[in-house]
Amino acid sequence: MKDNSTLALALLGLLHADPKSGYDLRKVFASTPMGSFSDSPGAIYPALARLEKQGMVSSEVEGTGGLRRRRLYRPTPKGTEAFRAWLEQPVTADEVIHRMDHLMLRFAFMDPVLRPERIARFLRALQGAIAAYLPTLHDYLDAHAREMTRSGRLALECGIREYALQLEWARSAAELYEQRRRKEA
Amino acid sequence: MKDNSTLALALLGLLHADPKSGYDLRKVFASTPMGSFSDSPGAIYPALARLEKQGMVSSEVEGTGGLRRRRLYRPTPKGTEAFRAWLEQPVTADEVIHRMDHLMLRFAFMDPVLRPERIARFLRALQGAIAAYLPTLHDYLDAHAREMTRSGRLALECGIREYALQLEWARSAAELYEQRRRKEA
DNA sequence: ACCGCCATGTAAAGTGTTACATGATTGG
DNA sequence: CCAATCATGTAACACTTTACATGGCGGT
């Protein structure tokens, strides 16, 4: 579902690697670079409950061995389907401008779920969208450089360089997936 | 105040350039790269009302000439004080990891408010914090590269390159502000 | 016995999103 | 005159933040 929060999608993606408890997920956000998400229980437990209510994940209290009530979550077929649909959404200009982190998150989760040619297609679309956006940033800078403060200008220049870096990264990553496809064929 | 939202700080910063109406501010977010903020009235008008209730901005309906009720906001001395305090906050490791955009926003607003040597100090602190964080990312990648999926690894590599870019950018920007200080001295 | 970690949750408060409502003014 | 744009706001809803509450387990 497109109406799920980024946190919910990240949770669903992590559960596709292997079943995890809420506490496990909190630790992932607290201890890996996969962060920028909140590891607070007030965000994660309600999000898991919502996913379960939607039928995206199922849960069971872990085996009677440990005696500790650890509720393990795993994606349902419906959840996998919705997750795949999220991954396969087209790359929009809006996302490139306002939600690049969202796009990188999607890419990071693609490998076990999508075929290489599909991933390559995503990367080429991303490359194209960044290539289309970069000139408008340059134009803006050229047009407004004089009215802007020095620090404002420098901040924008940093942003432009970041997009240029991501453009080059997307290009080389796409090549990797295209090579991989050829090899496997 | 540190308990204001990023949007509120961005609004306060934009008002320091010159007085603006809520609609002006919406247009800024809708039409400039300064975006990633919402241009929705449901976010901006309540945020302006909160700032006014806190005494950070004052407003007056624009001169009787136009007949159009345009409410212009401008920062109060208290608002300027709070804004400067926000800009002068130390660079923390947590911000570098989770809120880099926040740090760039602060930098972008510094020029008219802070003295060059103060800005240079911020940039050197930022440079140091990134330089301290980058090795932990490399270590994480080295330690977990095998368990990670190909796309997860590539996404992390992109993130690392971005930090490396920002590190170099902060270094060169700091030099600019240090040169400027010497020239002015 | 006590401290700290594992583990799950809830409640209140604040904030952003979406959608709607309201009018005045300008251009064709 | 009609449509688009200017301009301000509100209400319902969903989500995150912060803080709190609970309880078992392991080590000293």
Side-chain angles (χ1 to χ4, degrees):
Chain A
M1 297 303 237
K2 74 177 81 170
D3 52 338
N4 267 310
S5 70
T6 311
L7 174 63
L9 270 342
L11 294 175
L12 195 50
L14 287 171
L15 292 178
H16 272 84
D18 43 32
K20 289 180 183 66
S21 68
Y23 195 75
D24 291 334
L25 292 160
R26 288 182 62 196
K27 277 188 297 183
V28 171
F29 293 145
S31 68
T32 75
M34 194 73 261
S36 96
F37 292 102
S38 166
D39 65 333
S40 81
I44 286 172
Y45 291 110
L48 285 170
R50 283 193 299 273
L51 282 171
E52 186 160 29
K53 205 170 70 179
Q54 292 167 8
M56 299 296 182
V57 302
S58 64
S59 72
E60 43 169 348
V61 175
E62 198 186 27
T64 49
L67 280 182
R68 242 195 333 249
R69 69 198 201 294
R70 233 173 76 92
R71 182 170 291 273
L72 276 186
Y73 290 86
R74 69 189 75 238
T76 62
K78 182 183 172 186
T80 300
E81 186 57 37
F83 186 61
R84 175 190 298 273
W86 177 61
L87 293 181
E88 286 183 344
Q89 277 183 344
V91 176
T92 65
D94 183 81
E95 275 183 306
V96 169
I97 299 172
H98 297 296
R99 307 267 183 194
M100 185 60 94
D101 54 335
H102 214 280
L103 288 168
M104 291 301 296
L105 186 71
R106 272 167 62 188
F107 172 75
F109 282 133
M110 280 183 184
D111 226 338
V113 181
L114 264 45
R115 272 178 304 163
E117 70 182 319
R118 186 84 196 176
I119 300 177
R121 206 202 308 176
F122 170 88
L123 287 167
R124 289 298 184 193
L126 180 59
Q127 182 188 345
I130 298 174
Y133 182 47
L134 260 175
T136 74
L137 286 179
H138 279 116
D139 289 351
Y140 184 90
L141 184 59
D142 290 346
H144 296 87
R146 285 171 204 172
E147 327 149 18
M148 293 172 75
T149 64
R150 163 111 86 159
S151 67
R153 213 160 49 232
L154 282 165
L156 178 53
E157 279 167 12
C158 184
I160 289 176
R161 282 197 223 169
E162 273 177 69
Y163 274 110
L165 175 75
Q166 284 160 337
L167 174 65
E168 169 56 23
W169 170 86
R171 196 197 53 70
S172 78
E175 269 179 19
L176 272 180
Y177 278 92
E178 281 161 1
Q179 278 175 16
R180 191 184 201 180
R181 186 183 50 168
R182 273 187 228 109
K183 262 185 191 170
E184 283 175 359
Chain B
M1 298 306 239
K2 73 177 84 173
D3 52 337
N4 267 311
S5 70
T6 310
L7 174 63
L9 270 343
L11 295 175
L12 196 49
L14 288 171
L15 292 178
H16 272 83
D18 44 31
K20 288 181 182 65
S21 69
Y23 195 75
D24 291 334
L25 291 160
R26 288 183 62 196
K27 277 188 297 183
V28 170
F29 293 143
S31 68
T32 74
M34 193 73 260
S36 96
F37 292 101
S38 165
D39 66 332
S40 82
I44 286 172
Y45 290 109
L48 285 170
R50 283 194 297 273
L51 283 171
E52 186 160 29
K53 205 170 71 179
Q54 293 166 8
M56 301 294 183
V57 302
S58 64
S59 73
E60 44 169 347
V61 175
E62 199 185 29
T64 50
L67 279 182
R68 235 190 349 239
R69 70 201 201 293
R70 233 173 78 91
R71 182 168 292 272
L72 275 186
Y73 291 86
R74 70 188 73 238
T76 62
K78 182 182 172 186
T80 300
E81 186 57 36
F83 185 61
R84 175 191 297 272
W86 176 61
L87 292 181
E88 287 184 344
Q89 277 183 344
V91 176
T92 66
D94 183 80
E95 275 183 305
V96 168
I97 299 172
H98 297 297
R99 308 266 183 194
M100 186 60 95
D101 55 335
H102 215 280
L103 288 169
M104 291 299 297
L105 186 71
R106 272 166 62 186
F107 172 73
F109 282 133
M110 280 184 183
D111 225 339
V113 182
L114 262 46
R115 272 178 302 164
E117 70 182 318
R118 185 84 196 176
I119 301 178
R121 207 202 309 179
F122 170 88
L123 287 167
R124 289 300 184 190
L126 179 60
Q127 182 189 345
I130 299 174
Y133 182 48
L134 260 174
T136 74
L137 286 178
H138 278 116
D139 289 350
Y140 183 92
L141 184 59
D142 290 346
H144 297 88
R146 285 170 204 173
E147 326 149 19
M148 293 172 76
T149 64
R150 163 111 88 160
S151 66
R153 214 160 48 233
L154 282 164
L156 178 53
E157 279 166 12
C158 183
I160 289 175
R161 282 198 223 168
E162 273 177 69
Y163 274 111
L165 175 75
Q166 284 160 337
L167 174 66
E168 170 56 23
W169 170 87
R171 195 197 55 69
S172 78
E175 270 178 19
L176 273 179
Y177 278 92
E178 282 161 2
Q179 278 174 18
R180 189 185 201 179
R181 185 185 50 168
R182 274 187 227 110
K183 262 186 189 168
E184 285 176 358

